[in-house]
């Protein structure tokens, strides 16, 4: 075996594992499906709170975005992007909630960090990914962690939009677009 073949043979399994770890499950709750209501302990600006999806839905649509783990590079970026856009979501009547099963011991600080959530929206703790499982939003190779999957839930509890992508870059655009479409339809 040549040196190149040996290098490829030893590298490819690691690359495949990394790709599988970052690839989310497809969002299985399709538009029109009933979104499971949940209550979860959460943090807003570092302060503990209780989050209820049913209570949030009573005020308008809710963006429920699942992310793998607090204090990881992609999740830090995604939190910052949502924090930067939260005023636009609010202007369109929507509530944003992040939900994770990973690095729960870091969630309180993550919620207050000015480079991440910046205290702009709550992040909920999902031990064992119980909520994520109800939403088919778990990582295939680490089922105890959430995938990067975002949902927009209508006030009536139905899924308006679902989006899964390992990259954090398009989740805000996708969910904000769905919220604006819902609002422009006169709802």
């Amino acid at each position: 075996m040549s040196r190149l073949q040996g290098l490829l043979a030893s590298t490819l399994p690691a690359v495949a594992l990394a790709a599988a770890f970052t690839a989310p499950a497809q969002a299985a709750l399709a538009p029109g499906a009933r979104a499971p209501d949940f209550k979860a302990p959460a943090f807003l600006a570092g302060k503990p709170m209780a989050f209820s999806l049913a209570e949030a839905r009573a005020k308008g649509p809710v963006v429920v975005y699942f992310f793998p783990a607090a204090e990881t590079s992609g999740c830090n970026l995604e939190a910052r992007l949502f924090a930067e856009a939260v005023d636009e979501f609010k202007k369109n009547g929507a509530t944003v909630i992040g939900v994770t099963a990973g690095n729960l011991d870091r969630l309180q600080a993550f919620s207050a960090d000015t480079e991440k959530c910046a205290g702009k929206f709550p992040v909920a703790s999902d031990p064992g990914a119980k909520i994520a499982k109800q939403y088919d939003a778990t990582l295939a190779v680490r089922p105890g962690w959430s995938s990067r999957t975002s949902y927009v839930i209508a006030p009536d509890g139905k899924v308006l939009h679902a989006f899964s992508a390992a990259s954090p870059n398009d989740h805000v655009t996708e969910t904000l677009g769905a919220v604006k479409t819902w609002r422009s339809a006169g709802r």
Side-chain angles (χ1 to χ4, degrees):
M1 179 184 303
S2 74
R3 183 175 174 179
L4 178 59
Q5 288 172 320
L7 181 61
L8 284 174
S10 66
T11 305
L12 287 177
V15 170
L17 180 60
F21 182 73
T22 59
Q26 291 301 312
L29 295 182
R34 184 96 183 137
D37 274 326
F38 64 89
K39 292 181 180 181
F43 293 98
L44 177 60
K47 295 183 174 115
M49 63 170 288
F51 180 84
S52 164
L53 180 59
E55 289 175 17
R57 284 191 302 99
K59 301 172 193 166
V62 180
V63 174
V64 178
Y65 89 88
F66 292 92
F67 61 99
E71 301 295 352
T72 59
S73 61
C75 297
N76 293 350
L77 173 61
E78 185 175 28
R80 189 179 86 236
L81 294 172
F82 271 106
E84 290 171 355
V86 82
D87 290 337
E88 190 69 18
F89 281 103
K90 287 178 182 177
K91 183 173 104 177
N92 285 282
T95 299
V96 173
I97 176 78
V99 181
T100 189
N103 294 342
L104 298 180
D105 59 326
R106 300 178 188 172
L107 205 52
Q108 184 171 16
F110 181 76
S111 74
D113 191 312
T114 58
E115 296 296 315
K116 293 150 190 147
C117 301
K120 303 262 185 152
F121 60 89
V123 286
S125 174
D126 184 18
K130 291 177 184 140
I131 299 166
K133 287 174 189 168
Q134 292 178 344
Y135 280 79
D136 292 321
T138 57
L139 282 172
V141 299
R142 193 160 185 180
W145 277 25
S146 318
S147 66
R148 192 173 316 282
T149 302
S150 299
Y151 289 97
V152 179
I153 312 300
D156 67 2
K158 292 187 179 166
V159 174
L160 292 172
H161 186 72
F163 180 71
S164 286
S167 169
N169 296 331
D170 295 326
H171 287 262
V172 168
T173 304
E174 285 281 332
T175 55
L176 186 56
V179 167
K180 287 180 175 181
T181 298
W182 175 85
R183 185 164 187 224
S184 69
R187 298 184 179 137

